Amino acid sequence: MSYTLEGNTGTWEIVVGLEVHAQVISKSKLFSGASTVFGGEPNSQVSLIDAGFPGMLPVINQTCVEQAVRTGLGLKARINLESRFDRKNYFYADLPTGYQISQFEHPIIGTGIVEIELADGSTREIGITRLHLEQDAGKLMHDQDPKRSFVDLNRAGVALMEIVSEPDIRSPEEAGAYLRKLRQILRYLETCDGNMEEGSMRADVNVSVRKAGEPMRTRCEIKNVNSIRFVMQAIEIEATRQIEIWEAGGEVDQETRLFDPHKGETRALRSKADAHDYRYFPDPDLLPLVIEQSWVDQIKQTLPELPDEKRARFQKDYGITAYDASVLVAEQSTADFYEKVAKGRDGKSAVAWVTGDFFAALNRTGKSIEESPVSADSLGAMLDLIADGTINGKIAKEVLEEMFETGEAPIEIIDRKGLRQVTDTGAIEAAADDIIGKNADKVEQYKGGKDKLFGFFVGQVMKATAGKANPAIVNDILRKKLDG
């Protein structure tokens, strides 16, 4: 179902394209040896190149180029064996050189595709226009002094991949799905950590509106939005603003805007610059970047299994639903954990425990899956104890809680607390006879057609055995005694 906004003059369609800036995972910057570690003291990770000292020559970081190629392969995009760096000229306090080294006409990565999944189960393909490498700028700080602004150049020169989508996105939901999927791919590839809170992934959001069948109208760009939720909010708010202008007989100005999540509005920052305003020209200090197809092929051999392929394989190999598979592959660490648990075991039972009680315990203890005191091997061992009848599902929940508290192996907890399941049919029969004898009235009601009372008898026998009786044996014995 298409997403539209209703105005006074009819129905409007939203048109969105996203420019995502993803910080490359590398130890040093794009053209200098300065560190990229987040959280250093201001201006403690700045080389002479980053600071714009005259006579300093940039040297390309091969790791950053490799990370861009890996990302391009992960996006099923065209890898350009020859690309070029250009100077993008503008003057701002966080850019010491007065220009940014970027790629304009000849990016390292060409067209690609990201497939997104929507809440109704449908999928859509969002086109990738290009991916290019460029330097990040520094960070201006306006809250350090009442009269002055300060600049921290630690981030200046850090490698960014700017990933530009086609204007294929038609709703806030699609924008959110696209960003989540892109971040997921980058994390699987280990080319960007996708941490929007630290600014290592942020989005410029291009929004326009039009009536059905119309050509594109004027767009506005909302700069540096640093959360998926804010991107979705900004699209709807900006689209509504533009519709109001068009319907009042006005013209939307092509401009750069900022999103204020506290006021729920976008506001003008500056008129939107066109490419010629930046006076791009090839950087005279850098030769064209030429890479070999054989090197690209080597990188391709090292790619991990990506989310779409892993999700399809989980459904096929472990017989789980598309929804469960999507939950598991959302993070690579979760997918890896599940696969260790499910290997050689019942996949459906494994997903029920991992996404159910195990996830609930992680949430309750405030731990990530990497910090879990219960390893995949330990959880798998507990499932084996359920499968071989040592414990039942109810006891297993108690065991898992204890595993989170103590870190002990499941069998140690079971033996220490005397939790082994009762499979002695004589003991279970005795408990069943006792319950039936004490509840003659309910036996009559059951035999008179109240089938739901069977659950009552099962519950009473389980209670009498402290939850340790084997449920299958309990059911079998009660059926024979009540229905015989």
Side-chain angles (χ1 to χ4, degrees):
M1 184 178 175
S2 61
Y3 178 91
T4 55
L5 290 176
E6 291 298 323
N8 294 326
T9 62
T11 302
W12 294 81
E13 178 185 60
I14 297 175
V15 180
V16 175
L18 295 175
E19 300 169 15
V20 174
H21 296 86
Q23 184 176 315
V24 175
I25 293 176
S26 63
K27 292 181 179 178
S28 54
K29 298 182 181 181
L30 183 55
F31 296 111
S32 83
S35 171
T36 61
V37 175
F38 180 79
E41 287 294 312
N43 297 307
S44 63
Q45 296 164 192
V46 186
S47 74
L48 297 177
I49 293 171
D50 308 324
F53 276 54
M56 297 295 104
L57 295 176
V59 178
I60 189 73
N61 182 337
Q62 182 174 330
T63 297
C64 296
V65 177
E66 181 176 343
Q67 295 286 61
V69 172
R70 281 176 68 81
T71 303
L73 292 168
L75 297 174
K76 300 178 176 60
R78 187 183 74 249
I79 311 300
N80 294 324
L81 299 181
E82 183 168 339
S83 59
R84 190 181 75 194
F85 287 99
D86 302 284
R87 289 188 181 180
K88 180 181 181 182
N89 296 275
Y90 64 97
F91 296 94
Y92 210 59
D94 57 8
L95 197 69
T97 55
Y99 60 84
Q100 177 190 40
I101 301 177
S102 183
Q103 294 185 305
F104 180 46
E105 290 185 335
H106 303 283
I108 188 168
I109 305 297
T111 54
I113 285 174
V114 171
E115 184 176 85
I116 62 172
E117 301 85 36
L118 302 173
D120 63 2
S122 63
T123 60
R124 278 204 67 208
E125 288 187 349
I126 306 299
I128 299 293
T129 308
R130 55 187 276 146
L131 177 158
H132 64 261
L133 282 167
E134 64 184 21
Q135 297 171 302
D136 205 349
K139 180 182 179 182
L140 288 173
M141 297 180 288
H142 307 292
D143 57 355
Q144 308 294 306
D145 186 276
K147 295 182 178 179
R148 296 176 296 175
S149 291
F150 291 82
V151 64
D152 176 10
L153 295 178
N154 281 352
R155 202 172 65 188
V158 168
L160 293 179
M161 297 179 289
E162 181 168 331
I163 304 166
V164 183
S165 84
E166 293 287 338
D168 292 340
I169 296 167
R170 292 292 177 269
S171 71
E173 182 198 357
E174 289 184 9
Y178 170 81
L179 287 171
R180 282 189 289 270
K181 186 61 168 291
L182 182 59
R183 184 171 64 178
Q184 186 184 55
I185 292 169
L186 295 175
R187 284 178 168 171
Y188 266 70
L189 293 168
E190 296 183 346
T191 57
C192 172
D193 64 22
N195 191 325
M196 298 187 85
E197 293 75 25
E198 293 181 1
S200 55
M201 181 173 156
R202 52 194 190 270
D204 296 341
V205 188
N206 292 280
V207 181
S208 66
V209 296
R210 65 182 180 185
K211 294 288 185 69
E214 279 188 346
M216 300 287 190
R217 296 197 184 204
T218 308
R219 65 184 169 89
C220 291
E221 181 182 42
I222 307 165
K223 292 290 287 185
N224 289 330
V225 187
N226 65 354
S227 88
I228 294 173
R229 181 166 57 91
F230 288 166
V231 167
M232 296 171 70
Q233 290 175 3
I235 289 170
E236 184 137 13
I237 288 166
E238 175 60 19
T240 301
R241 184 190 74 87
Q242 292 183 20
I243 289 169
E244 289 172 356
I245 292 172
W246 289 119
E247 291 193 330
E251 291 280 333
V252 171
D253 295 325
Q254 183 172 320
E255 61 188 1
T256 300
R257 300 181 69 83
L258 290 177
F259 174 59
D260 186 334
H262 303 294
K263 294 183 178 179
E265 65 181 22
T266 66
R267 59 176 181 268
L269 180 65
R270 59 180 179 267
S271 60
K272 174 65 179 165
D274 289 315
H276 64 262
D277 295 319
Y278 291 116
R279 294 173 292 119
Y280 281 98
F281 63 85
D283 192 300
D285 293 333
L286 290 163
L287 292 169
L289 178 61
V290 179
I291 58 178
E292 299 290 335
Q293 182 61 49
S294 58
W295 188 56
V296 175
D297 294 339
Q298 286 176 22
I299 296 170
K300 191 171 186 178
Q301 294 303 313
T302 68
L303 293 186
E305 184 180 39
L306 292 172
D308 287 348
E309 290 75 23
K310 192 180 288 288
R311 184 176 65 247
R313 182 172 64 79
F314 276 11
Q315 289 178 248
K316 178 175 177 288
D317 290 356
Y318 299 112
I320 62 177
T321 65
Y323 173 79
D324 282 338
S326 294
V327 170
L328 292 170
V329 305
E331 296 289 345
Q332 190 162 17
S333 56
T334 306
D336 292 345
F337 187 95
Y338 167 75
E339 189 142 35
K340 285 180 184 175
V341 174
K343 207 77 171 176
R345 301 184 178 94
D346 179 65
K348 292 179 181 178
S349 175
V351 77
W353 278 97
V354 170
T355 61
D357 292 81
F358 177 74
F359 275 10
L362 287 179
N363 290 336
R364 188 174 63 250
T365 56
K367 295 183 183 297
S368 68
I369 203 163
E370 292 87 357
E371 299 165 333
S372 170
V374 177
S375 68
D377 289 338
S378 291
L379 185 58
M382 191 191 78
L383 297 191
D384 291 339
L385 294 168
I386 298 172
D388 68 15
T390 302
I391 55 175
N392 59 36
K394 182 180 178 183
I395 295 171
K397 290 176 182 289
E398 181 182 341
V399 171
L400 183 60
E401 283 193 22
E402 189 79 10
M403 287 165 69
F404 261 89
E405 288 178 15
T406 66
E408 283 182 272
I411 192 64
E412 293 174 0
I413 295 168
I414 291 163
D415 287 340
R416 176 168 57 80
K417 300 186 77 172
L419 296 174
R420 285 180 181 269
Q421 187 169 229
V422 177
T423 55
D424 178 355
T425 55
I428 296 173
E429 275 205 58
D433 287 339
D434 183 53
I435 297 300
I436 289 170
K438 290 177 178 177
N439 293 277
D441 56 333
K442 288 188 169 58
V443 172
E444 288 303 315
Q445 291 175 39
Y446 174 76
K447 290 185 175 181
K450 288 196 172 181
D451 294 342
K452 290 182 179 178
L453 279 172
F454 186 78
F456 164 79
F457 289 105
V458 172
Q460 291 301 302
V461 173
M462 294 301 292
K463 185 177 179 181
T465 59
K468 298 178 187 176
N470 183 302
I473 297 175
V474 171
N475 282 355
D476 187 49
I477 288 172
L478 284 171
R479 287 287 181 203
K480 287 176 182 175
K481 289 184 178 293
L482 293 170
D483 296 341

